[in-house]
Amino acid sequence: MPDRSQVDGARVLADLNALRAIGAYKTGVHKPTFSESHMRSLEWLMGRLPEAGLAPEIDGIGNVLGTTEKSGPKLLAGSHLESQNFAGWLDGPLGVVYALEAARVINPDTNIKGAVEVAAWCDEEGHFGHFLGSRSYVGALTEADIDAATDRNSGRTMRQALRDVGLAGRARAMAEPGRHLGYLEAHIEQGETLESGGRKIGVVTSIVGIWQYRITFNGQQNHAGTTRMAARRDAGLALAKFCVAIDDRFPEICGPRTVWTTGRITLNPGAPSIIPGGAEMLFQIRDDDPRIIDRLDDLLRSMALQFGADGRCTVEVERIRTGSPALMDETFQRAIEAASARFAGGSCLRMPSGAGHDAQVLATIMPAGMLFVPSIDGISHHWNENTADADIVTGAEVFVEACRDLLSK
Ligand SMILES: [Zn+2]
C-alpha cells in the first residue's frame, strides 16, 4: 500500500512537549481559560501557524484561527489549548497539534488541492460556560451570553477576563458559509474502550447528548430527637430512596451505553439534629439516542409521582439542560477507517463519545468527524493522563491521512 501521510512523528511529540512545558503541573498542566499559561499556549500556536502557510489570528473570544489563501477545498481541524484545573497534557493539545501537523504536511504540497485550516477553540473545558469559543464561531453565542459568563472558580466575569488579556473589543471570527467541507478533530479517548479492546484508533460515530435535572424533595423540617419515625416527612430519606429506585428501574429500559449520575446532593437545612425538610439532587443522563432519553425522562417523572403518592414528601423534576446528541458524518468516519487501514493496521473501532467536544458544536453547521487515540488506564482530567508516544504518532498518521482523503473527495 503506498505511503502518503508523511507525518514527522518527532516534531509532533516535540510540539506536544513544548505545550506541556507551558503551565506544567506535576506530570500534567494547569491552564485555566485566560490564565497566563493558556495565553502563552495560544501565542505558541500563533507562532507555529506560519510554518503551515497559515495566517494566525486571535479573535474577540479567544479563538485562534489559522487561515490560508490557497485555492481549493478547505478542511477545518483543531481542538482546544486550555485545560481543566491541575489536569493532563493531552486533553486538547493533541487535537491542535495534529491539526497543525496536517496543515504543515498538506498545505505546502502543490500536488494536493486545498488546505487544512487550524482552530484552537476557547474554553472547551467550560471554565466560563459551555463551548463558548466554538459556539461563538458557529453563531450560537450572543453578547448577552458573554455578559453573563463568569469563571466558575474565581468569579471573574468573562468581560473582565477579555479586558485582562487584551481581547476586549476585538471582533469575533464567524464561520463563512461554504468555506469548509467539514471539521475534523482528534482527541484522547478519556476512557478504556480502546485500550481494553487492544485498538489504536476510535472512529467516533456520535457525541452523546447530556440531559440534566434538578430533582427537589419537600417534606417537613423537624426535631431529630422528638419526632417519631412514623410521623416523619424526611426529604433526605426520600431522596436517598429515589436514587436507589433509579438504579433499580433505569436498567429495565436504558440503552447499552446509557450512563446516569447523581453528581450533587444538598440537604436543607443540613444539620445532624434536624430532619431535612428539603432535599435536592442534580442528576444527569447521557446517551446518543434521543428516544432512549425520552423513555428515561418519562420514567423519571412517573417515579416522582409514585414517590409523592404516599403523602410524605412532594417530588418535583425539573429539566435544566438538554443537549441533542451530535452525529458524526459518515464520509468522515469512512475516511478515518481507510486511514487506519493504512497506518494503524486496521486497528480501529467505531464508538460513541461519552464526553462532550467542540466537534458537536461544529457539527451543527458542517459535516464533522472525530478520532480517538487510546488513554493509558482510561485516565483523564488528571495530571497522570497519558498516551504512549507510539500511539500518539500512529494517531497523527491516521489523522493526516484522513485529511488528505477528505480533501481529495
Ligand atoms: Zn478536551
Side-chain angles (χ1 to χ4, degrees):
M1 208 176 276
D3 229 31
R4 300 199 315 180
S5 147
Q6 294 158 32
V7 157
D8 182 339
R11 177 167 67 178
V12 168
L13 292 169
D15 283 350
L16 286 168
N17 279 299
L19 284 167
R20 185 187 209 165
I22 304 172
Y25 176 79
K26 297 189 179 177
T27 51
V29 294
H30 178 59
K31 304 191 200 193
T33 303
F34 298 136
S35 62
E36 190 259 332
S37 52
H38 177 218
M39 297 311 292
R40 273 204 289 142
S41 301
L42 296 179
E43 281 159 23
W44 177 91
L45 176 63
M46 291 177 71
R48 293 273 104 66
L49 289 171
E51 294 169 10
L54 296 171
E57 189 79 53
I58 184 163
D59 82 347
I61 195 118
N63 287 335
V64 168
L65 286 151
T67 54
T68 176
E69 303 287 311
K70 190 179 177 188
S71 63
K74 286 172 188 66
L75 180 66
L76 187 60
S79 194
H80 59 94
L81 290 179
E82 82 284 338
S83 75
Q84 288 287 342
N85 293 334
F86 310 108
W89 68 301
L90 295 172
D91 179 354
L94 181 99
V96 174
V97 169
Y98 280 12
L100 172 64
E101 182 67 8
R104 282 188 297 218
V105 170
I106 290 170
N107 296 358
D109 190 336
T110 49
N111 294 319
I112 303 174
K113 61 183 173 70
V116 174
E117 297 194 317
V118 175
W121 309 112
C122 194
D123 202 38
E124 190 275 346
E125 294 293 3
H127 291 272
F128 287 85
H130 296 295
F131 304 113
L132 295 180
S134 51
R135 277 168 57 212
S136 171
Y137 186 73
V138 306
L141 189 75
T142 64
E143 292 295 314
D145 292 333
I146 300 173
D147 291 340
T150 55
D151 187 322
R152 62 180 148 93
N153 287 121
S154 70
R156 179 168 67 152
T157 65
M158 181 136 203
R159 291 292 183 199
Q160 185 60 47
L162 288 167
R163 278 194 291 275
D164 292 346
V165 298
L167 295 177
R170 239 172 220 267
R172 292 193 273 136
M174 297 288 170
E176 236 175 84
R179 180 179 181 90
H180 298 109
L181 61 89
Y183 173 74
L184 186 63
E185 179 169 355
H187 208 277
I188 51 167
E189 184 204 335
Q190 308 180 281
E192 320 183 80
T193 304
L194 292 175
E195 187 181 69
S196 62
R199 306 294 180 97
K200 296 299 180 194
I201 300 292
V203 183
V204 179
T205 52
S206 61
I207 299 173
V208 298
I210 300 176
W211 279 257
Q212 196 154 299
Y213 298 84
R214 179 183 295 114
I215 306 176
T216 312
F217 300 76
N218 276 302
Q220 176 68 53
Q221 182 179 328
N222 213 332
H223 195 292
T226 58
T227 315
R228 286 173 300 109
M229 296 310 287
R232 292 184 179 207
R233 295 172 55 210
D234 183 335
L237 183 62
L239 180 148
K241 287 181 174 174
F242 197 79
C243 279
V244 173
I246 287 172
D247 246 34
D248 285 342
R249 302 282 306 276
F250 269 37
E252 295 164 9
I253 59 165
C254 73
R257 294 181 201 259
T258 318
V259 290
W260 57 88
T261 307
T262 301
R264 193 169 78 192
I265 288 172
T266 319
L267 300 182
N268 187 15
S273 293
I274 304 176
I275 299 163
E280 181 188 284
M281 58 191 264
L282 293 182
F283 180 67
Q284 196 179 78
I285 311 172
R286 299 187 186 211
D287 202 284
D288 65 352
D289 185 344
R291 290 167 306 177
I292 290 170
I293 298 280
D294 282 347
R295 291 206 304 259
L296 293 172
D297 184 289
D298 286 346
L299 176 59
L300 200 61
R301 290 171 197 281
S302 75
M303 285 170 59
L305 286 175
Q306 285 165 20
F307 259 69
D310 73 359
R312 288 184 184 267
C313 293
T314 60
V315 187
E316 196 186 324
V317 175
E318 182 193 355
R319 193 159 72 186
I320 53 177
R321 176 177 171 189
T322 56
S324 299
L327 298 181
M328 297 293 101
D329 185 81
E330 179 60 32
T331 302
F332 278 61
Q333 293 179 51
R334 281 203 297 267
I336 298 164
E337 282 174 337
S340 299
R342 281 174 185 266
F343 288 97
S347 178
C348 65
L349 178 72
R350 287 196 179 208
M351 60 187 289
S353 171
H357 295 289
D358 289 307
Q360 75 196 62
V361 178
L362 274 298
T364 61
I365 61 159
M366 62 177 85
M370 275 198 89
L371 73 83
F372 284 160
V373 298
S375 293
I376 294 173
D377 295 331
I379 293 170
S380 185
H381 287 186
H382 186 282
W383 54 84
N384 283 341
E385 165 188 289
N386 207 1
T387 296
D389 283 357
D391 288 348
I392 291 175
V393 174
T394 297
E397 298 274 16
V398 171
F399 188 86
V400 174
E401 186 63 18
C403 289
R404 280 173 176 271
D405 190 16
L406 288 162
L407 284 169
S408 71
K409 290 204 187 305

